[in-house]
Amino acid sequence: MYLISELAKKCGVNKETIRYYERKGLLNEPSRTNAGYRVYSEESADRIKFIKRMQDLGFTLSEIIKLLGIVDKDAERCKDMNDFVSNKIDEVQMKIKDLMRIEKMLIHLREKCPTDKSMYECPIIETLVSKNEL
């Protein structure tokens, strides 16, 4: 069992993050001591670590709430999780395409750079300002 400060330290978050997760329904309301202190279980620590890991992977808190809803409540967990993951794959693939397009544009800009880079007029800046070459 952990007090909120111990749990925060164990999970690498601050106490306000834990309180926020409780308000958003990501964490269940903890039990309390007779003195009114929150007491958290190892399950709470695992859940916070899961949330942080999902954030590291690029999931938003609203997506994590949906994910946890599937884990906690859905009768058809496998189907719902598969649908969720499939949608996330589509989203990631779109981001990859956008990043590749941006990379191409940046490479194109860099290629406009002359060998003498000490000059005042910069072809990259001129291209960006003109708006019609990209």
Side-chain angles (χ1 to χ4, degrees), residues 50-113:
F50 173 81
I51 293 166
K52 297 310 292 176
R53 179 69 181 131
M54 291 295 101
Q55 286 179 313
D56 289 345
L57 292 172
F59 288 87
T60 65
L61 276 181
S62 61
E63 290 172 325
I64 294 168
I65 289 169
K66 289 177 189 171
L67 260 175
L68 290 172
I70 291 169
V71 170
D72 294 341
K73 300 174 188 143
D74 282 10
E76 296 181 4
R77 288 168 76 175
C78 192
K79 177 195 175 305
D80 293 337
M81 186 59 81
N82 185 45
D83 292 346
F84 182 87
V85 169
S86 295
N87 289 336
K88 191 64 177 178
I89 290 169
D90 292 344
E91 183 183 313
V92 167
Q93 288 173 339
M94 289 297 292
K95 285 181 184 179
I96 290 169
K97 285 179 186 175
D98 287 343
L99 288 171
M100 289 174 70
R101 185 177 49 82
I102 291 168
E103 178 190 36
K104 240 184 199 177
M105 288 177 8
L106 291 171
I107 289 169
H108 176 71
L109 283 172
R110 186 178 60 197
E111 288 170 351
K112 291 182 170 280
C113 216

